[in-house]
């Protein structure tokens, strides 16, 4: 059991946040609860962070920081890859990825999404956790769980929380890696004088308008990795580049702001403008049950 680790755990890695900092090394941010347009500035170390987000606690109160250490090792591998990727894109070229690079990116994206789930614990009540348990447990397991909950609810909640945290480091299932390998990568490039923002969810989903009437509206899923570059998956294998319009970037940023409690970026005016976007976070439980029941049909 590892005992020495920072207690402040970032669910948006600082190595990504640093790509968005302004000339002074800071990030402009706004969070729900602040006045509309009340933008502040701070360092990446103070944003997208919670105490002991990935800490497992045993019955005696001892803390295991191994999950946070594991994320640190993954980020150590991903950081130089992302920087090299950005350098190539900014020189107007298309990155050539070998199998090792592709798999590193797939694994990074997979765990980035799981870290989002960890952050969303604030939206998931004990009652929600019980609903999930009832859905996936056998009748005997469910009876034992209810008995434990009635006997010692505090310890049962600790065990449930530990299980959620431990799952963050579970490896990507082989069948999912196969699915990721069958897809292509889209590089979304923002035009000059525009920039992407960061939100609580590292990825977003936006509906972009048609271009010149030649195509219909298109839905894109994207993950910003720098103010000028976001990435996403597509159905066509290979690496593709999509040069966006200013309106495209605005739509993507609005989608990110809509689902986020906290947003950050390099422009004060931009964050102030996006603070006016109404809050509409994803319904995690509804989405989970829908995906589970849909898969069972």
């Amino acid at each position: 059991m590892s005992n020495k680790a920072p207690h402040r755990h970032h669910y948006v890695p600082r190595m990504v946040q640093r790509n968005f900092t302004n000339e002074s090394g800071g990030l402009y941010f706004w969070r729900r609860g602040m006045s509309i347009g009340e933008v502040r500035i701070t360092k990446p170390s103070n944003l997208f962070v919670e105490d002991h987000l990935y800490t497992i606690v045993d019955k005696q109160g001892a803390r295991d920081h191994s999950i946070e250490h594991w994320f640190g090792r993954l980020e150590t591998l991903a950081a130089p890859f992302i920087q090299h990727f950005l350098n190539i894109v900014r020189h107007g070229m298309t990155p050539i990825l070998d199998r090792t690079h592709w798999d590193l990116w797939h694994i990074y994206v997979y765990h980035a999404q799981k870290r989002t789930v960890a952050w969303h614990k604030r939206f998931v009540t004990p009652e929600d956790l019980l609903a999930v348990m009832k859905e996936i447990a056998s009748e005997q397991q469910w009876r034992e769980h209810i008995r434990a909950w009635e006997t010692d609810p505090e310890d049962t909640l600790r065990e449930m929380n530990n299980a959620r945290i431990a799952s963050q480091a579970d490896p990507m299932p082989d069948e999912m890696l196969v699915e990721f390998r069958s897809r292509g990568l889209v590089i979304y490039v923002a035009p000059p004088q525009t920039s992407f923002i960061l939100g609580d969810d590292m990825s977003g989903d936006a509906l972009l308008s048609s271009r010149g009437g030649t195509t219909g509206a298109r839905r894109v899923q994207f993950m910003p990795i720098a103010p000028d570059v976001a990435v996403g998956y597509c159905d066509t294998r290979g690496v593709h580049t999509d040069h966006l319009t200013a309106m495209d970037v605005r739509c993507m940023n609005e989608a990110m702001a809509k689902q986020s409690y906290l947003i950050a970026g390099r422009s004060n005016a931009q964050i102030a403008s996006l603070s006016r976007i109404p809050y509409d976070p994803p319904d995690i439980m509804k989405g989970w049950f829908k995906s589970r029941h849909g898969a069972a049909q």
Side-chain angles (χ1 to χ4, degrees):
M1 184 179 296
S2 55
N3 294 314
K4 293 183 178 180
H7 63 90
R8 288 162 56 82
H9 299 167
H10 292 81
Y11 50 91
V12 176
R14 279 178 292 177
M15 61 101 170
V16 173
Q17 292 190 54
R18 292 187 190 105
N19 291 338
F20 289 78
T21 55
N22 56 32
E23 294 78 6
S24 64
L27 278 166
Y28 293 103
F29 74 95
W30 179 85
R31 65 165 57 90
R32 307 285 169 181
M34 294 166 58
S35 299
I36 299 298
E38 181 192 349
V39 178
R40 301 175 187 174
I41 188 169
T42 191
K43 297 178 180 179
S45 59
N46 297 322
L47 292 175
F48 305 107
V49 62
E50 291 190 10
D51 276 354
H52 294 296
L53 184 59
Y54 306 116
T55 301
I56 293 175
V57 182
D58 70 15
K59 203 161 188 174
Q60 286 71 44
R63 290 171 169 166
D64 180 354
H65 304 293
S66 57
I67 303 298
E68 175 66 5
H69 285 304
W70 186 90
F71 277 129
R73 291 192 294 273
L74 177 60
E75 291 169 17
T76 297
L77 293 173
F81 166 74
I82 290 175
Q83 292 306 316
H84 184 61
F85 184 95
L86 288 171
N87 288 337
I88 293 173
V89 172
R90 286 166 176 165
H91 280 86
M93 298 181 290
T94 300
I96 299 174
L97 307 182
D98 61 23
R99 181 67 167 265
T100 300
H101 292 143
W102 275 107
D103 283 355
L104 174 60
W105 180 251
H106 298 326
I107 292 168
Y108 174 77
V109 169
Y110 173 74
H111 286 286
Q113 297 300 326
K114 296 184 76 172
R115 294 174 85 156
T116 295
V117 172
W119 178 84
H120 275 308
K121 70 174 185 175
R122 71 177 64 186
F123 296 123
V124 181
T125 66
E127 290 75 19
D128 292 330
L129 293 175
L130 283 173
V132 172
M133 175 66 73
K134 187 174 183 179
E135 178 77 10
I136 65 177
S138 66
E139 186 174 341
Q140 177 63 27
Q141 289 173 325
W142 176 244
R143 285 199 299 267
E144 292 175 355
H145 187 76
I146 290 299
R147 190 179 305 115
W149 191 266
E150 293 173 344
T151 303
D152 191 344
E154 184 175 340
D155 190 61
T156 302
L157 186 59
R158 177 190 61 79
E159 291 184 351
M160 293 170 70
N161 191 53
N162 283 347
R164 177 191 59 76
I165 293 170
S167 71
Q168 304 304 307
D170 286 346
M172 176 187 284
D174 291 341
E175 61 273 18
M176 184 174 291
L177 182 55
V178 171
E179 171 64 24
F180 273 48
R181 285 172 173 169
S182 71
R183 310 200 69 193
L185 195 70
V186 183
I187 304 169
Y188 297 106
V189 179
Q193 310 304 315
T194 69
S195 61
F196 295 110
I197 65 164
L198 289 170
D200 299 315
D201 286 353
M202 291 179 66
S203 60
D205 185 316
L207 186 65
L208 305 184
S209 61
S210 62
R211 295 181 177 177
T214 58
T215 60
R218 57 199 175 105
R219 183 164 296 280
V220 298
Q221 294 181 324
F222 61 96
M223 177 185 291
I225 58 173
D228 53 336
V229 177
V231 292
Y233 285 103
C234 67
D235 293 331
T236 305
R237 298 185 70 169
V239 180
H240 315 274
T241 301
D242 188 343
H243 291 276
L244 302 173
T245 66
M247 183 59 70
D248 290 335
V249 175
R250 178 66 187 190
C251 288
M252 294 162 83
N253 284 338
E254 288 184 356
M256 187 71 78
K258 180 180 179 181
Q259 68 185 16
S260 295
Y261 179 81
L262 169 65
I263 57 174
R266 66 190 321 173
S267 166
N268 187 322
Q270 179 191 50
I271 298 301
S273 174
L274 291 169
S275 71
R276 294 172 171 79
I277 302 298
Y279 191 34
D280 186 18
D283 188 330
I284 299 169
M285 297 304 297
K286 180 179 178 181
W288 186 85
F289 280 110
K290 181 178 180 181
S291 64
R292 180 173 174 81
H293 293 158
Q297 293 177 354

